[in-house]
Amino acid sequence: MPASETIRSCHVFSNDAMGEEDATALANRIRSRDISITELTRAAIARARAAEPLINGVVSENYEAAIKAASRLDASEESITLPLFRGVPTFFKDNTDVAGLATRHGSLAVPENRAGKTSQFARQMLAQGFLCLGKSTLPEFGFNASTEPAHDVPTRNPWNLAYSSGASSGGSAALVAAGVVPIAHANDGGGSTRIPAACCGLVGLKPTRGRLVDNEAAASLPVNIITDGVVSRSVRDTANFLDQAEAFYRNPKLPAVGRIEGPSGRPLKIGLVLDSINGHKTDDITRQTVEETARKLEKLGHQIEPVPVPVHSLFPDDFALYWALLAFGVRAKGKKLIHPAFDKQKTDALTNGLDKMARRQFWRLPTALWRLKRSWHDYAHAMAGFDAVLTPVLGHTTPPLGHLSPEVPFDILFDRLRKYVSFTPLANATGAPAISIPMARTPDRLPVSVQFMGRHGGERTLLDIAFTLEAENPWPLLSDLICQDQDSGSALRADSLTGIG
C-alpha cells in the first residue's frame, strides 16, 4: 500500500492486549496475570502485519516460533517475577545474529544465511525476557542515515510517511513509533540509535563504550565506535533495560547504572552547543528547540553555559575517513568477516563510493586514527567541569525520502550526510554516553529531538535529565496526534486496528 499525499501517517495502537502501554507496564501486566504472553504476542504480530504495508520496517519474520515460545512461557511453572521483561515482544536489527534467523545487514551482497548461534548482545537482551518477533530493516551495513535500501522499498516514518525514519536502526524506530512493539533493538556506530530515535520521536540512548557486551564486529575495529542498545517510547523502558542488562554483564571499570525510577531533582551544570564543528549552521527549528530546552532546564534550577566542541578541528574529516575505511573493509574482507558467499559486486553506490574515498585517502589514516583515539582524553578533560552537554541530535530536521537515497550521486549524498549527521559521531569516537529525546514537532508534524552527552559512565545523569524533561514536557504518542486530527476533521480514516491520518 504506497504512501500518498492523502495518507500522511500511520499507527497501530488499539484496544488489544498491548493498548498504548510501554514495555514496563506490559511486563507488569504479565506478572499480575492480567494478560497472557500469548495474547500479547498475537497482538504484536497482528499489529506488525497491519503496519507493514505502509511502514516497511520488518525484513524477516519469526512469528510462528514466537507464538510457540509464548505458549511455553504461559504454561511454565517458572517464577513470573524475573526477568523483568519476560514475555515482552521485540525486534532485533538485521545486523545482529539471532539463531535460526537470517542476518543480511541490509545488503544484497550477503546471502540468505540463517545464523547458527545468537550473538553476545542478543543473548544479553534476550536474557531480560524479551521475545523476538523477527528482524528490522537497516540501510546497507548501516552506512547511511536513512533506511532506504537500493534494492527494496524504503522504511517510512510513521509520523509522516513521505519522510525518512532515520538510520541505521530505522526499522526498529519505525516499528516502535507506530505501536507494533514498545521497545526494539538498535545499535550505534555514528548515531544509528539516536538518529532514528530523533526522527521517530523516541528515546534513544547510546551507552558508554564497554557498558554492554561488545558487538562481535566491534572487536575487529581499530577504534571501537559501535554500541548496542534500544529505542523506546518511554524513559523508564530505556532505564529499566540498562538496569537489567547489568544483571547479565556488569563492567567493573564503570560505575553501575542501577535502577532509576524518576528525576532526582539534583541541580546540574550543563554545557550548550548549538552549531557543529564542521562549520554548518544548525537549521532554525532545530536550533530553537535546543534553545527552548535550555530555557526549560534553567527554570528548573540547572546551570546552562555555552561551551566549544571539545575535539580537534579535523575531527569531522577524521571520522568521515574512518566511515569510509569501514566500507573498504566490508568490500575487501566481506567473504571472511561476513559470509563466504559475500558478493562485493552487489554492494550499493554509497558503500562503493565510501570504499573509493578510503582508497584515495589511505595516506591520512595513521594520523586520523591517532586523533580519533585521542578524542577520548580530550573529551574527558573538557567534561571535567560539566555534568552533561546539550546539543542538537542532527544538523537539520528529518529529510523527505529520496534526499539521502543511495541512488543520489556519491559526492552530493556524502555532502548531505555530513551536514545532517554533524553532532552524533563525537560520542562514538570518544566512547561517551549520549541520549536523544523528543522535545518538539515541525509543521509537517515530525518530531524534533535534542541530544545530551555525558561523562564516561554517566548514564545515570543522562537518564535523570531525560526523566525530568519527560515529566515537564510529556511527548505524545502518534495515536494522540491522529486523534487530534480526527477531532479537527482532517484525518483520512482510522479503523479499529490501524489509524491512518
Side-chain angles (χ1 to χ4, degrees):
M1 186 175 182
S4 69
E5 293 182 2
T6 55
I7 302 176
R8 296 190 60 197
S9 56
C10 169
H11 80 83
V12 286
F13 293 101
S14 72
N15 294 322
D16 58 12
M18 298 187 75
E20 295 186 345
E21 293 175 304
D22 67 1
T24 301
L26 291 172
N28 289 338
R29 291 183 65 197
I30 289 170
R31 280 193 296 277
S32 67
R33 302 188 187 276
D34 182 44
I35 54 173
S36 72
I37 296 173
T38 302
E39 285 179 291
L40 191 60
T41 303
R42 290 188 180 279
I45 292 169
R47 289 184 177 202
R49 287 173 170 155
E52 230 354 59
L54 284 173
I55 301 301
N56 306 315
V58 179
V59 70
S60 61
E61 301 173 357
N62 191 42
Y63 299 158
E64 289 186 14
I67 290 172
K68 290 178 182 177
S71 179
R72 288 194 299 270
L73 286 171
D74 282 331
S76 173
E77 296 294 326
E78 177 186 345
S79 167
I80 62 172
T81 59
L82 290 174
L84 177 63
F85 291 113
R86 183 176 181 270
V88 174
T90 193
F91 283 86
F92 280 87
K93 186 175 173 181
D94 192 31
N95 61 359
T96 299
D97 285 346
V98 175
L101 298 181
T103 304
R104 299 199 66 184
H105 298 272
S107 176
L108 278 181
V110 182
E112 182 86 18
N113 59 307
R114 294 185 181 273
K117 63 179 183 178
T118 298
S119 68
Q120 294 182 80
F121 172 77
R123 291 200 302 272
Q124 185 174 25
M125 187 165 173
L126 290 170
Q128 301 185 35
F130 291 106
L131 279 184
C132 175
L133 296 189
K135 294 290 198 72
S136 62
T137 54
L138 74 156
E140 184 168 274
F141 303 112
F143 291 146
N144 205 345
S146 184
T147 306
E148 302 180 49
H151 64 281
D152 203 353
V153 293
T155 299
R156 298 181 179 277
N157 192 318
W159 291 85
N160 189 320
L161 297 171
Y163 284 77
S164 169
S165 65
S168 62
S169 309
S172 288
L175 292 168
V176 173
V180 175
V181 289
I183 190 170
H185 168 234
N187 47 33
D188 197 315
S192 294
T193 296
R194 291 159 288 156
I195 293 168
C199 293
C200 295
L202 305 174
V203 179
L205 172 68
K206 186 207 85 69
T208 302
R209 180 163 51 217
R211 170 69 69 190
L212 305 175
V213 295
D214 273 340
N215 184 302
E216 279 78 357
S220 62
L221 298 177
V223 181
N224 180 7
I225 59 173
I226 301 172
T227 307
D228 284 270
V230 293
V231 287
S232 68
R233 293 194 298 265
S234 70
V235 177
R236 72 172 180 173
D237 275 359
T238 292
N240 287 339
F241 163 81
L242 209 55
D243 172 52
Q244 293 294 296
E246 286 191 317
F248 181 92
Y249 166 74
R250 160 95 166 78
N251 188 335
K253 296 180 180 180
L254 295 173
V257 176
R259 190 71 178 269
I260 309 170
E261 298 183 302
S264 69
R266 177 171 64 96
L268 303 171
K269 185 176 181 182
I270 301 173
L272 175 65
V273 173
L274 291 171
D275 294 308
S276 72
I277 196 173
N278 66 11
H280 299 296
K281 186 177 174 62
T282 304
D283 77 348
D284 290 343
I285 294 177
T286 303
R287 190 183 189 92
Q288 290 163 10
T289 301
V290 175
E291 290 173 334
E292 179 58 28
T293 302
R295 286 190 286 269
K296 287 179 184 291
L297 290 168
E298 281 187 318
K299 289 178 181 178
L300 292 169
H302 302 292
Q303 181 183 346
I304 308 296
E305 181 178 311
V307 294
V309 180
V311 287
H312 194 281
S313 60
L314 288 176
F315 176 82
D317 292 334
D318 292 342
F319 196 88
L321 179 56
Y322 192 67
W323 191 353
L325 176 66
L326 298 181
F328 166 79
V330 164
R331 295 196 82 242
K333 297 185 177 181
K335 289 183 180 293
K336 180 180 179 181
L337 297 175
I338 300 171
H339 192 273
F342 176 86
D343 184 355
K344 68 178 182 180
Q345 302 304 319
K346 294 181 179 179
T347 53
D348 71 18
L350 174 57
T351 302
N352 297 342
L354 289 168
D355 175 33
K356 292 176 184 176
M357 175 180 158
R359 293 172 186 273
R360 290 195 304 267
Q361 299 186 39
F362 264 142
W363 62 273
R364 286 190 51 235
L365 270 173
T367 52
L369 289 174
W370 181 85
R371 282 191 295 264
L372 288 174
K373 291 177 180 178
R374 175 71 191 176
S375 67
W376 184 97
H377 301 280
D378 296 337
Y379 180 85
H381 177 74
M383 287 295 293
F386 294 88
D387 297 294
V389 173
L390 166 63
T391 80
V393 180
L394 293 156
H396 58 79
T397 55
T398 305
L401 290 168
H403 181 76
L404 298 177
S405 166
E407 300 301 307
V408 173
F410 176 77
D411 290 343
I412 296 173
L413 173 58
F414 197 67
D415 181 63
R416 290 176 178 178
L417 285 168
R418 292 191 64 170
K419 290 175 180 176
Y420 184 49
V421 186
S422 50
F423 291 94
T424 53
L426 179 58
N428 298 90
T430 63
I435 193 169
S436 169
I437 57 174
M439 290 300 295
R441 287 204 308 273
T442 71
D444 289 320
R445 63 189 190 177
L446 290 161
V448 184
S449 298
V450 301
Q451 174 179 248
F452 289 91
M453 298 178 64
R455 298 176 183 173
H456 294 101
E459 285 90 340
R460 283 191 69 92
T461 298
L462 297 185
L463 290 167
D464 187 350
I465 295 169
F467 268 119
T468 298
L469 290 172
E470 183 183 44
E472 290 290 321
N473 185 67
W475 38 82
L477 297 177
L478 183 51
S479 56
D480 298 329
L481 178 66
I482 290 180
C483 284
Q484 292 169 12
D485 289 348
Q486 291 167 2
D487 290 342
S488 66
S490 62
L492 177 66
R493 69 177 178 85
D495 62 34
S496 61
L497 183 62
T498 305
I500 300 176

